[in-house]
Amino acid sequence: MRIVMMFDFPALSERIREIVPEADILTLSPTDPLDQLGRVDVVLATPGDSQTLSRLLDHQPDVGWIHILGTGVDDYPIDLLRGRLVSCSKGATAVPIAEWVLAMMLAHAKRLPSSWASVPPEQWFMADLDTLEGKTLGIIGFGQIGQAIARRALAFDMNVICHMRTHRSSGMSGVESVADLDEMIPYADHLVLALPSTAETVGLMDTARLSRLNRGSHLINISRAALIDHEALKERLDSGQITRASLDVVSPEPLPDGHWLYQHPNVQLSPHIAWNGPRSHERMSQAFLDNLRRRCAGDSLQGVVDTACSYVP
């Protein structure tokens, strides 16, 4: 079995050989020649490196399996993946992302960091702080990340509602599934986007839907920037209709110096780091290793991408 890795990760190579001792593992850089590569059985890629993968697949159209070390594949042109067996490390970073969402909600409720005192304040003991208890959290998308967020929100005695691509029961006690997205949005004090970017979801939060958010609401995006009309978001932030936007994803990435999202007082912006945690890389790698065992045993893979829409069912 020849496995091509589009990055240098010696520790992962060692773990692959524990499963497939005879594996021929090669690291491919964007400029490496392909003429002497020979037949490739498996490609292990990272999100966003479509040029290297495209070059490899043009040269090796019969690659049997592609695994992407990430939780989404929309960074790759769909035509590059269509009709191929593609999997990804779905859900591997659900825990740190869920923790980031709770941190953003708590920061919003407790007025952090503005409530920290660096000089003597006007008064002690009193502050205009809010709570998560009794607030309604709306989650659009209820995969592993959405579920991880919901479990933590329930522990804070929040009311949790969700909307899924195909309406069904949430399967989680205390979480109500709402069929109509436009009906759900006005109920949310905090609204989290936790769904993939597809042709159906690009522009999901447009002017009309942003207008349905109640005054004082908090919008959180840990999915993809393309889901939000950011100019419409700015209008709602400027008017005070949306009190806070917590964004871990923007477009383009990185944002250019001077972009309004850096300076807006009602934006909590982080540079696509919500997925980071002490075990994030380990869990993403483990998803591939588990699939490698399944592949060798002839079993079905986990996290398989529907390449018709760049979506993992």
Side-chain angles (χ1 to χ4, degrees):
M1 178 183 291
R2 175 161 293 168
I3 301 174
V4 169
M5 300 172 59
M6 292 164 52
F7 52 90
D8 188 18
F9 196 168
L12 181 54
S13 297
E14 293 176 9
R15 296 187 66 189
I16 290 172
R17 288 197 175 93
E18 291 174 2
I19 300 170
V20 188
E22 72 279 10
D24 182 12
I25 304 172
L26 303 174
T27 301
L28 181 68
S29 75
T31 58
D32 284 342
L34 302 176
D35 293 340
Q36 305 301 317
L37 192 58
R39 177 181 172 82
V40 175
D41 302 294
V42 181
V43 175
L44 186 54
T46 55
D49 196 4
S50 60
Q51 289 186 339
T52 304
L53 182 59
S54 177
R55 190 168 70 93
L56 174 59
L57 294 179
D58 283 343
H59 190 269
Q60 295 274 342
D62 298 325
V63 170
W65 168 37
I66 302 165
H67 184 92
I68 298 174
L69 282 182
T71 58
V73 298
D74 54 287
D75 292 333
Y76 286 95
I78 188 60
D79 289 342
L80 187 64
L81 304 178
R82 186 173 285 117
R84 302 179 185 276
L85 176 60
V86 182
S87 60
C88 68
S89 299
K90 178 185 179 183
T93 55
V95 169
I97 291 175
E99 291 176 346
W100 186 91
V101 169
L102 265 293
M104 294 303 103
M105 291 195 294
L106 285 167
H108 176 62
K110 303 306 177 185
R111 311 291 188 256
L112 302 176
S114 61
S115 63
W116 296 131
S118 56
V119 296
E122 293 183 3
Q123 59 178 345
W124 291 89
F125 307 118
M126 298 298 293
D128 182 25
L129 303 184
D130 205 345
T131 181
L132 298 186
E133 182 185 15
K135 293 295 193 295
T136 297
L137 169 63
I139 304 174
I140 306 178
F142 206 62
Q144 293 184 48
I145 292 173
Q147 293 170 32
I149 295 168
R151 285 193 293 271
R152 287 155 179 80
L154 290 170
F156 280 84
D157 295 323
M158 299 185 76
N159 303 312
V160 183
I161 55 180
C162 70
H163 173 80
M164 291 173 276
R165 182 188 189 195
T166 302
H167 179 61
R168 60 187 183 277
S169 168
S170 72
M172 185 179 296
S173 177
V175 179
E176 178 188 356
S177 174
V178 180
D180 190 324
L181 176 59
D182 291 326
E183 178 184 319
M184 186 191 85
I185 288 173
Y187 286 99
D189 299 298
H190 303 265
L191 184 67
V192 178
L193 306 183
L195 69 166
S197 176
T198 68
E200 295 177 355
T201 62
V202 167
L204 181 78
M205 299 304 295
D206 56 12
T207 298
R209 286 212 170 97
L210 290 170
S211 298
R212 297 187 67 83
L213 281 160
N214 284 328
R215 191 168 187 83
S217 56
H218 178 200
L219 179 65
I220 305 170
N221 190 9
I222 47 82
S223 180
R224 290 291 188 263
L227 273 61
I228 300 177
D229 180 336
H230 284 81
E231 289 308 311
L233 174 62
K234 184 176 186 299
E235 293 175 4
R236 300 306 177 279
L237 288 167
D238 290 344
S239 71
Q241 179 201 343
I242 298 176
T243 303
R244 180 78 63 189
S246 296
L247 309 173
D248 186 54
V249 287
V250 291
S251 181
E253 291 185 348
L255 282 180
D257 186 30
H259 195 282
W260 69 268
L261 284 170
Y262 286 127
Q263 283 85 33
H264 202 287
N266 296 332
V267 172
Q268 296 178 151
L269 176 66
S270 65
H272 208 146
I273 57 173
W275 64 273
N276 279 258
R279 298 185 61 193
S280 293
H281 288 93
E282 174 191 344
R283 284 171 170 161
M284 286 191 290
S285 299
Q286 189 61 50
F288 167 71
L289 295 170
D290 290 344
N291 267 347
L292 182 59
R293 290 189 181 91
R294 292 186 180 93
R295 180 81 167 171
C296 292
D299 296 333
S300 299
L301 304 186
Q302 298 294 313
V304 173
V305 178
D306 180 349
T307 57
C309 59
S310 295
Y311 172 74
V312 183

